[in-house]
Amino acid sequence: MSQARQALVVHPAAPDMEEAERTALSECIDAALDCTQACTTGADSCLEEPGVTHLRHVIRAQQNCAVICSATAQVLSRFGSDFGPTPASVLRALDDVAALCEDVCRVYAGAYAHCRVTADSCARVRAAAAAMLALD
């Protein structure tokens, strides 16, 4: 059981949450945190490649995706606050940024393993965001 899942189980608002929602929420938080790490490391890996200039747009996409994934994980972790339900706009923004990052990284996935890892992580977070949006 992931840390996010454990936190959702012991949260005082947990009894009020449907199991499907709790599962989707914990999976989205985990995917967002994993994608934050993959994008941060991916951008750093790109910086180590020779002739890094051609990877500038990849690095920027990874940096932006890491920031949005981290912020989304934080917002999703506050589900019991007065903030109310997670706005669909947060999940759509996550999907938009991760889609761009995935597309850009997929171009280089054959040449650079770190771009493949990042693209795969973006695909996972997109699937998790879609599962959350499907609950509404």
Side-chain angles (χ1 to χ4, degrees):
M1 184 182 300
S2 74
Q3 291 295 315
R5 177 72 180 184
Q6 289 178 45
L8 293 176
V9 168
V10 300
H11 193 287
D16 299 333
M17 185 178 283
E18 301 276 334
E19 185 56 32
E21 183 181 3
R22 187 186 346 262
T23 297
L25 183 58
S26 66
E27 288 175 2
C28 196
I29 292 169
D30 287 337
L33 293 172
D34 288 348
C35 196
T36 299
Q37 181 59 43
C39 287
T40 300
T41 303
D44 190 65
S45 296
C46 285
L47 289 170
E48 293 299 319
E49 294 295 345
V52 69
T53 304
H54 73 286
L55 294 172
R56 280 187 188 155
H57 65 291
V58 176
I59 295 166
R60 287 188 182 112
Q62 291 170 327
Q63 290 172 330
N64 290 340
C65 192
V67 168
I68 295 297
C69 285
S70 176
T72 300
Q74 292 176 52
V75 169
L76 294 177
S77 296
R78 295 186 190 106
F79 74 95
S81 71
D82 292 336
F83 185 70
T86 302
S89 60
V90 172
L91 295 168
R92 285 193 301 272
L94 173 66
D95 181 65
D96 288 348
V97 171
L100 173 67
C101 188
E102 180 183 4
D103 290 347
V104 168
C105 289
R106 209 52 86 194
V107 171
Y108 295 96
Y112 304 112
H114 50 83
C115 286
R116 179 191 47 77
V117 169
T118 302
D120 291 348
S121 186
C122 289
R124 180 175 168 235
V125 80
R126 293 188 68 214
M132 287 279 303
L133 286 166
L135 292 174
D136 289 338

